[in-house]
Amino acid sequence: MSWEPVIGLEIHVQLKTRTKMFCRCELGFGDPENTRTCPVCLSHPGTLPVPNAKAIEWTVKLGLALGCEIAPHAVFHRKNYFYPDLPKGYQISQYDQPLCTNGRFLVPGPDGDAYVGIVRAHLEEDAAKNVHVGGAAGRISGADRTLVDFNRGGTPLVEIVTRPDLRSAEDARIFLQLLRQTVVELGISDAEMEKGSLRFDVNVSVRPEGSSELRTRTELKNMNSFAFAARGIAREIGRQIEIYEKGGEVDQETLHFDPTREDAPPLRSKEEAQDYRYFPEPDLVPLAPARDLVERARAELPELPGQRIRRLERDYALPFYDAEVLSGLPALAALFERTVAAGGDAKATSNLVMNQIVAAGVDPAVVDGLELAKLVEARGRIPRAALDEAIAASGTPGFRADDYTADTAITDAEELRPVVERILEGNPSQVEAYRGGKTGLLGFFVGQVMRELGGKANPKVVNELLREQLGL
Ligand code: ADP
Ligand code: MG
Ligand code: ZN
């Protein structure tokens, strides 16, 4: 029997608002510990939360980008649990009336569109950060003690829950990358996994291929990179298949994935919602986003990365791969479009931009589309060295493609002949080798002549002169 993996994700995105979710402390990643705190986020008695309007607006934006419905009435709940990173003894979160529900997010692929269902996206506050001291790699197991940094406590956090629509670790990676790019382009989060501003848990189950049942899932916590997650998912899929093939049952549990170990020890059996004793936050009124604000946010949504991939493919007849690479770097996509608008052939421009502009480390934002279009046009005509040189210079102010292309290149054989002769005189052993049969050296001589003339020679004429001089 063959098995199909079923994967759903829960993603946490820290918003990069200036201040925290329910107090006026500024966010301060990397600041000295416990310097971004106040009585509200340390939950001193008698303090009250005041919601951050920007965080609500941005969550609405994100919800719209995820294709969600924006609830006319959303409620903050207290999620009660006891842990040192939570000074109130509860987290203000959303429960059965989240701000954004029931979305679908476009994930284009080489074989067509896929949509990942979004169960919900809700707004909550992040917990403080526990810092484990004395153990290996800052992990809790084996640590001597744990310190708490309350700077992170109270940071606005959006939790996005997908439907179990993903079928492989690769699906999950592509989805997460597109989601990450979306929040970055919306300007609402830096979504950096290394900084913890994007974190995710992976829910995994397997089922017989062709069936539509949902079997018991396990949850992998502690995912902090795509590569890491892919390994965890692969291992978990293998483990579950093995259990079923031996006639066993998978237990629903949370696994703490540790890349340095071959297994993933259970962290705890999954809490039930009733364990959190959710109840509506009595210190906050329900959220009621005004319809006109929602509609305005919808109208103002930028083109999303997934849509951009499809548009680049469609409008410029690009292969999926090109569209995906270009879309992944918006400044590169913009340069591509400027260049094509100025007359560059689409596929040739795409190649040049994706390969040579990137390889040369040129900032695409400062390259002039018209000048680049001239290089695209000239690319087969001028020597490779001249093209490389032109590309390398294409980001400098006042760059003119004409200075590098064959239009200004020397085509006059009488002008070129002395240079060719000088190069041959200067390289007697290569000349001998060439005459001895190493005809591949022709390219070497062409390169030398070009170098001598700063690339400004017609390669066809140089070739002819060289053959003539070398007597072949
Ligand atoms: P809970 O209410 O217990 O948190 P949800 O139904 O909201 O559970 O699902 C949480 C996450 O688990 C979602 O990302 C969802 O897609 C995923 N999930 C649910 N059932 C399965 C399953 N059988 N296999 C894999 N993932 C699943
Ligand atoms: Mg959850
Ligand atoms: Zn505070």
Side-chain angles (χ1 to χ4, degrees):
M1 172 154 46
S2 69
W3 297 88
E4 177 179 61
V6 177
I7 299 167
L9 300 173
E10 289 166 275
I11 304 113
H12 283 103
V13 177
Q14 271 183 353
L15 299 182
K16 59 171 187 187
T17 46
R18 192 175 60 81
T19 56
K20 291 187 180 181
M21 186 60 223
F22 296 113
C23 67
R24 298 173 71 175
C25 289
E26 288 189 17
L27 302 187
F29 179 84
D31 285 351
E33 292 82 0
N34 295 311
T35 55
R36 299 289 187 187
T37 62
C38 73
V40 176
C41 56
L42 292 176
S43 48
H44 290 192
T47 57
L48 290 170
V50 177
N52 182 329
K54 197 58 147 189
I56 295 166
E57 182 193 321
W58 285 3
T59 305
V60 168
K61 241 185 180 179
L62 175 53
L64 292 170
L66 295 170
C68 288
E69 293 153 27
I70 307 302
H73 182 92
V75 176
F76 283 113
H77 272 71
R78 289 189 181 179
K79 180 181 182 178
N80 297 278
Y81 65 94
F82 179 78
Y83 208 61
D85 59 9
L86 204 62
K88 288 197 288 284
Y90 59 85
Q91 176 191 31
I92 302 180
S93 181
Q94 297 188 314
Y95 179 48
D96 53 358
Q97 289 167 278
L99 194 48
C100 316
T101 58
N102 200 23
R104 63 204 286 267
F105 185 69
L106 168 66
V107 183
D111 308 316
D113 289 347
Y115 286 89
V116 173
I118 305 293
V119 178
R120 57 189 283 151
H122 74 239
L123 185 53
E124 58 188 28
E125 55 178 342
D126 206 351
K129 190 173 164 60
N130 287 335
V131 183
H132 307 296
V133 187
R139 289 179 179 278
I140 191 165
S141 53
D144 292 334
R145 61 211 145 87
T146 295
L147 305 172
V148 187
D149 177 7
F150 286 95
N151 286 358
R152 194 181 77 177
T155 300
L157 195 65
V158 179
E159 179 176 324
I160 301 162
V161 181
T162 78
R163 294 194 195 285
D165 287 347
L166 302 157
R167 295 290 170 265
S168 65
E170 179 63 4
D171 272 6
R173 186 188 63 78
I174 292 169
F175 168 78
L176 279 166
Q177 235 148 30
L178 214 53
L179 178 67
R180 174 175 188 280
Q181 202 190 335
T182 299
V183 298
V184 168
E185 288 185 27
L186 287 175
I188 63 175
S189 174
D190 59 13
E192 286 184 47
M193 284 192 251
E194 316 76 65
K195 286 168 67 178
S197 49
L198 176 71
R199 320 193 284 267
F200 58 97
D201 306 330
V202 188
N203 297 275
V204 182
S205 66
V206 299
R207 64 187 174 196
E209 187 91 55
S211 121
S212 58
E213 68 179 311
L214 287 176
R215 294 199 174 189
T216 304
R217 68 176 193 270
T218 55
E219 186 173 5
L220 296 170
K221 292 250 179 210
N222 193 31
M223 294 294 138
N224 56 10
S225 82
F226 295 130
F228 196 62
R231 280 164 56 203
I233 292 169
R235 176 193 297 180
E236 183 52 19
I237 290 169
R239 189 187 72 91
Q240 291 185 14
I241 292 173
E242 199 179 315
I243 291 176
Y244 286 128
E245 289 190 338
K246 284 186 181 149
E249 284 299 321
V250 168
D251 291 331
Q252 178 163 351
E253 58 191 357
T254 301
L255 302 167
H256 187 89
F257 180 65
D258 178 345
T260 63
R261 293 175 55 155
E262 272 311 302
D263 57 341
L267 198 62
R268 57 179 180 216
S269 58
K270 175 99 181 142
E271 300 87 352
E272 299 289 335
Q274 69 253 25
D275 296 335
Y276 289 124
R277 209 168 46 93
Y278 278 102
F279 63 86
E281 166 61 70
D283 292 335
L284 292 168
V285 296
L287 289 177
R291 286 295 102 180
D292 58 329
L293 289 187
V294 173
E295 289 319 310
R296 197 166 69 215
R298 193 193 306 279
E300 284 170 7
L301 271 189
E303 177 180 52
L304 302 174
Q307 300 168 336
R308 187 162 58 231
I309 292 174
R310 282 293 176 244
R311 184 176 58 79
L312 292 173
E313 254 188 307
R314 191 185 57 231
D315 290 1
Y316 301 99
L318 289 181
F320 175 77
Y321 171 80
D322 292 47
E324 194 186 27
V325 171
L326 289 172
S327 177
L329 296 161
L332 210 59
L335 173 58
F336 164 80
E337 295 202 66
R338 284 202 297 283
T339 306
V340 176
D345 169 73
K347 182 60 182 134
T349 301
S350 165
N351 290 345
L352 190 115
V353 164
M354 286 195 308
N355 302 318
Q356 283 154 279
I357 290 282
V358 171
V362 172
D363 174 6
V366 301
V367 178
D368 184 289
L370 182 59
E371 296 306 312
L372 198 64
K374 290 182 191 163
L375 286 186
V376 171
E377 187 273 320
R379 80 198 179 286
R381 191 151 54 68
I382 63 173
R384 177 64 195 228
L387 182 65
D388 286 348
E389 221 179 297
I391 299 273
S394 64
T396 49
F399 166 77
R400 287 179 56 242
D402 286 348
D403 294 344
Y404 297 83
T405 59
D407 292 346
T408 57
I410 306 162
T411 50
D412 180 356
E414 294 324 305
E415 202 177 324
L416 292 173
R417 184 169 285 116
V419 182
V420 168
E421 284 171 358
R422 202 169 343 120
I423 293 297
L424 294 180
E425 275 161 27
N427 295 280
S429 58
Q430 280 87 347
V431 169
E432 198 179 320
Y434 181 91
R435 292 196 167 123
K438 291 189 82 179
T439 52
L441 280 167
L442 191 67
F444 164 78
F445 296 122
V446 175
Q448 295 293 308
V449 174
M450 286 298 171
R451 163 123 49 106
E452 183 85 8
L453 295 169
K456 289 177 204 138
N458 181 305
K460 194 160 160 279
V461 180
V462 173
N463 258 282
E464 284 164 8
L465 284 169
L466 279 165
R467 286 174 198 276
E468 174 194 307
Q469 300 278 322
L470 289 161
L472 282 169

